[in-house]
Amino acid sequence: KFSHFQDCTQKYIVKNYFYYYLFKFSAALGEEIFYITFLPFTYWNIDHSVSRRMIIVWSIVMYIGQVSKDILKWPRPLSPPVVKLEMRTNAEYGMPSTHAMAATAISFSFFIATMNQYKYPFELGLAAAFVFSTLVCLSRLYTGMHTVLDVIGGALISAGLLVLLYPAWDTIDHLLLTSPFCPLFSIVVPLVLCYNYPKLDYYSPTRGDTTTILGAAAGATVGFWLNNQYAASAYSSTSAQPGFALLTGAMVFVLARFLVGILVVLLTRWAMKSLVLGMLGYRYKFPLGDLAARRRLEVEVPYKFVTYSCVGFTATVVVPLLHKLLGLL
């Protein structure tokens, strides 16, 4: 029944290192390392409203994509004949490709959100979004993780969701910034979705990855609301943000903001992960190294949700306060 998950790891020889490293790098653009750097970078250095829209679109698109995988249950390409260059996501189903969905959602939402705010050629922005999403999509074929149909399906679903969400962008953004119910809604709804994630007959990383994404978005959304309520003047997108006019002097501030911010974010993730796992280990009587215990619903969901909601909150509230304190705004 699950023979497609029992693939044997094939040995391979790299004959073209340019394609190998290009597509390995492109694949990373659809993973956590990219989310945890690019999305906060946008918030700290480019524009708050752009960052808010990207995070909301990203979380909705990724949740729908991850759930769709576990409902459709379409297998990934068989290996052999396909050579797979990744193993972590091999236990997941294939359709749709969430890498393709995330890349399409992030690149085109960034393009749409910035094209009316910054002066740059429309064609250049469109081409950049297209190249970015195409590279990520092609990387999923090159690494053997998806079929062409998986990738096309993911990109089309993401594009469809963008078209549906775009007319409501301003309304959603306004509600998230001003509604007194925003903090409660932002925490309760994602938690309910995570605890009621589709059940599988075996362990798959999809529920944990979905919890990570929704947790980060929940923490960031609460941060957006709090900033708007209590520190609007300090955090408005009209503050001393360099935008795209990155002069040499501004570049130093951009780099400093990013390095300080990412250090604090990574420290927050490490500290909260250790603290929450330690508390859950004490509550459910398991050692921290017990991978099977960490995969249980009652452990995985709270541990990942709390950890990454703290990461999202830190990125949107704590880091900007630190930037202000250090004179980096």
Side-chain angles (χ1 to χ4, degrees):
K1 187 177 180 181
F2 298 110
S3 60
H4 55 285
F5 296 130
Q6 297 166 359
D7 299 340
C8 58
T9 304
Q10 286 184 275
K11 293 182 179 180
Y12 57 88
I13 298 171
V14 178
K15 293 184 177 179
N16 189 315
Y17 281 97
F18 174 75
Y19 287 142
Y20 178 78
Y21 287 113
L22 172 66
F23 290 125
K24 289 286 278 185
F25 174 76
S26 301
L29 297 178
E31 295 170 0
E32 183 187 351
I33 187 67
F34 176 73
Y35 306 146
I36 210 169
T37 52
F38 179 71
L39 295 176
F41 178 88
T42 306
Y43 189 76
W44 301 330
N45 291 303
I46 298 178
D47 191 288
H48 292 178
S49 65
V50 171
S51 182
R52 289 197 301 269
R53 284 160 171 75
M54 286 172 63
I55 287 170
I56 297 307
V57 169
W58 167 66
S59 58
I60 292 172
V61 164
M62 287 299 287
Y63 174 76
I64 290 172
Q66 295 283 68
V67 168
S68 298
K69 276 187 181 184
D70 290 340
I71 290 175
L72 291 173
K73 298 183 177 180
W74 285 20
R76 287 185 183 270
L78 284 173
S79 176
V82 170
V83 177
K84 294 188 177 179
L85 306 187
E86 293 178 19
M87 293 311 296
R88 180 190 173 273
T89 57
N90 199 36
E92 296 179 11
Y93 287 105
M95 177 69 174
S97 164
T98 44
H99 272 72
M101 291 184 73
T104 304
I106 288 176
S107 58
F108 281 94
S109 61
F110 182 80
F111 166 59
I112 293 165
T114 57
M115 66 181 180
N116 293 324
Q117 295 192 39
Y118 299 100
K119 291 182 179 178
Y120 63 86
F122 175 87
E123 295 79 6
L124 179 64
L126 183 63
F130 181 77
V131 168
F132 178 92
S133 52
T134 301
L135 277 175
V136 176
C137 290
L138 289 176
S139 76
R140 307 315 288 157
L141 302 178
Y142 183 86
T143 55
M145 301 312 294
H146 285 286
T147 64
V148 173
L149 189 59
D150 294 344
V151 169
I152 293 173
L156 288 178
I157 292 169
S158 192
L161 288 170
L162 267 176
V163 170
L164 291 173
L165 289 168
Y166 178 69
W169 268 16
D170 291 338
T171 305
I172 293 169
D173 193 47
H174 178 73
L175 285 172
L176 291 178
L177 289 178
T178 59
S179 172
F181 302 106
C182 171
L184 183 65
F185 179 86
S186 299
I187 297 296
V188 171
V189 171
L191 264 179
V192 169
L193 292 175
C194 292
Y195 274 106
N196 291 279
Y197 192 83
K199 292 178 174 60
L200 297 175
D201 297 332
Y202 60 94
Y203 178 79
S204 165
T206 46
R207 184 184 64 204
D209 290 346
T210 305
T211 306
T212 293
I213 292 163
L214 294 186
T221 305
V222 172
F224 298 150
W225 180 86
L226 197 66
N227 288 340
N228 190 64
Q229 300 299 311
Y230 301 106
S233 60
Y235 297 95
S236 68
S237 59
T238 54
S239 63
Q241 300 286 347
F244 287 104
L246 298 178
L247 303 174
T248 307
M251 282 297 289
V252 176
F253 281 92
V254 167
L255 187 60
R257 277 195 291 267
F258 177 71
L259 291 176
V260 168
I262 207 67
L263 178 63
V264 174
V265 163
L266 292 174
L267 282 173
T268 301
R269 184 178 68 162
W270 171 79
M272 292 309 302
K273 182 177 178 179
S274 303
L275 177 64
V276 177
L277 266 180
M279 292 171 67
L280 289 168
Y282 178 78
R283 167 69 178 82
Y284 293 108
K285 313 296 182 194
F286 66 86
L288 296 185
D290 188 345
L291 190 59
R294 287 164 57 170
R295 288 174 168 179
R296 284 156 38 193
L297 174 69
E298 66 271 22
V299 175
E300 184 175 61
V301 169
Y303 133 59
K304 294 207 167 182
F305 192 87
V306 172
T307 297
Y308 284 90
S309 60
C310 288
V311 165
F313 185 82
T314 297
T316 52
V317 176
V318 179
V319 170
L321 281 173
L322 188 58
H323 285 163
K324 188 179 181 184
L325 188 67
L326 297 172
L328 294 174
L329 286 180

